[in-house]
Amino acid sequence: MKNRKHWAYTGGSIAVALVVPAGTKSGDLVKLGADDLYGHAETDQATADMVAKGTAPQGLVENQATVFLPGIVESIGVPAAAIAAVAAFGKVYLKADKTYGAAPADGLHIGYKLNATTIALRAN
């Protein structure tokens, strides 16, 4: 699949680097946005000091942690304009014309907006 970004090979869930609330520690449950998306922090949040000293978990930038997303089995890349109307970590709906929307009336709830160009697809 040309736009696939992350996926769980075993049918499980994915873990990705995400901006998390200040003070997040490994093992914390993390609320993401206002639409009931949550995750389980696998690393501590990378601080500016950790990044400057090179002690932040690999691949993380300031304010990010690696977050396991239960029930999210894959993420896909889409053009930023396609999901511009959806709030950060907001629910994404698939419309009948195969475009994306931000409201239940738009159609099928397929997942959540992870960033400007990524949709996290939920398990059915």
Side-chain angles (χ1 to χ4, degrees), residues 93-96 101-109:
Y93 296 86
L94 182 63
K95 298 179 182 182
D106 288 330
L108 176 65
H109 174 220

Side-chain angles (χ1 to χ4, degrees), residues 7-85:
W7 63 95
Y9 291 101
T10 61
S13 298
I14 63 172
V16 294
L18 296 173
V19 173
V20 294
T24 297
K25 297 291 184 192
S26 176
D28 288 352
L29 289 177
V30 181
K31 181 172 176 22
L32 302 165
D35 281 345
D36 299 326
L37 180 62
Y38 74 97
H40 186 243
E42 293 186 341
T43 65
D44 292 350
Q45 179 187 41
T47 64
D49 187 51
M50 292 167 71
V51 171
K53 290 180 180 177
T55 59
Q58 185 176 2
L60 298 183
V61 298
E62 185 178 351
N63 297 322
Q64 286 185 332
T66 300
V67 181
F68 178 78
L69 299 171
I72 301 298
V73 295
E74 183 176 356
S75 70
I76 59 170
V78 297
I83 55 174

